[in-house]
Amino acid sequence: PRLDYTNSTCPSILVEPQRSNLFTYSEDFTNISWTAEAGNSITSNTTTSPDGNLTADTLTATAGNDINFYKGPFSLSGDHSFSIFLKNNGTNLIDLYVFKIGTGFASRGQINFSAETFTSSLGTGKIIKLINNWYKVTLTNNYSLGSYTFGLISSSNVGVRSAFIWGAQLEAGSYATSYIPTVASTVTRNADVISKTGISSLIGQTEGTIYAEVLYNSTTPNIAGGLDQPIISISNGMNNMINVLLQGS
């Protein structure tokens, strides 16, 4: 099984749904599917990436130019998460953005390397610090149907601006999952499935836990009329044995 060390030194089993990385060439930013604006350049395989290989690239904007580097356009709608791994190489502030063509910024967040923060002004942002001063930053939002580009920009063009980049990912979903590398085509990772047999001696066979997560609607007729509203019921097929009710008043 894959292990998740995100929140502590004691790992948990990583269980994720099926996801696809919609970006091709997720580690090769010199590919023509990525666009570097005038004054920007990409040098491939310049430093060690978060997975321990020499596959991270250097993005550089010369003096008088902002960092402006992007991929797209993509036609999409609904919840999507855009994530990338970044490391400071002389530029303390870099913005991650999603731009809707013909409209403007649809999501935007800024990483501050010295403060180790990622602050979103549009959409929901998340930052995870990794080894060797790498950070995984993510922007998530619900997008209306349209054409979008995904990229990086800097807010200052004083001096030479540079950053290390690796592992870009675009996936449909309200949160980002673990990185899925791609080359010439998109890649789908199947959902994790975990099962274990032969453990009846470890887990009681005559007791258990009932859990219900309920969205309460105050306009539900039974509640409004002062009657109990059933949530969940367990039966032996003849009689109700256990009922969980939302009590009316």
Side-chain angles (χ1 to χ4, degrees), residues 72-223:
F74 290 82
S75 178
L76 57 86
S77 66
D79 289 329
H80 282 76
S81 296
F82 168 34
S83 59
I84 193 168
F85 296 83
L86 299 173
K87 183 177 180 178
N88 190 0
N89 190 40
T91 304
N92 188 51
L93 303 175
I94 294 180
D95 286 15
L96 190 68
Y97 72 84
V98 181
F99 187 87
K100 186 175 184 180
I101 296 174
T103 301
F105 289 107
S107 291
R108 189 168 181 172
Q110 184 177 81
I111 182 171
N112 184 321
F113 288 106
S114 60
E116 299 184 341
T117 59
F118 183 64
T119 306
S120 59
S121 55
L122 291 169
T124 302
K126 182 178 180 180
I127 184 171
I128 299 175
K129 184 177 182 180
L130 306 172
I131 61 172
N132 299 326
N133 295 315
W134 278 98
Y135 297 86
K136 181 181 180 180
V137 291
T138 304
L139 269 180
T140 299
N141 211 342
N142 185 280
Y143 300 102
S144 59
L145 180 63
S147 186
Y148 295 84
T149 58
F150 301 79
L152 303 171
I153 56 176
S154 65
S155 56
S156 174
N157 58 13
V158 179
V160 176
R161 299 296 172 184
S162 182
F164 298 119
I165 58 177
W166 182 79
Q169 182 155 306
L170 173 63
E171 56 192 301
S174 59
Y175 62 92
T177 61
S178 57
Y179 172 56
I180 305 169
T182 67
V183 185
S185 61
T186 63
V187 174
T188 298
R189 179 190 59 238
N190 292 330
D192 294 304
V193 178
I194 296 176
S195 63
K196 181 69 175 74
T197 59
I199 56 175
S200 59
S201 62
L202 303 177
I203 298 178
Q205 302 302 296
T206 58
E207 62 271 337
T209 300
I210 299 175
Y211 172 79
E213 185 172 344
V214 180
L215 177 63
Y216 168 64
N217 184 348
S218 61
T219 62
T220 300
N222 284 353
I223 296 298

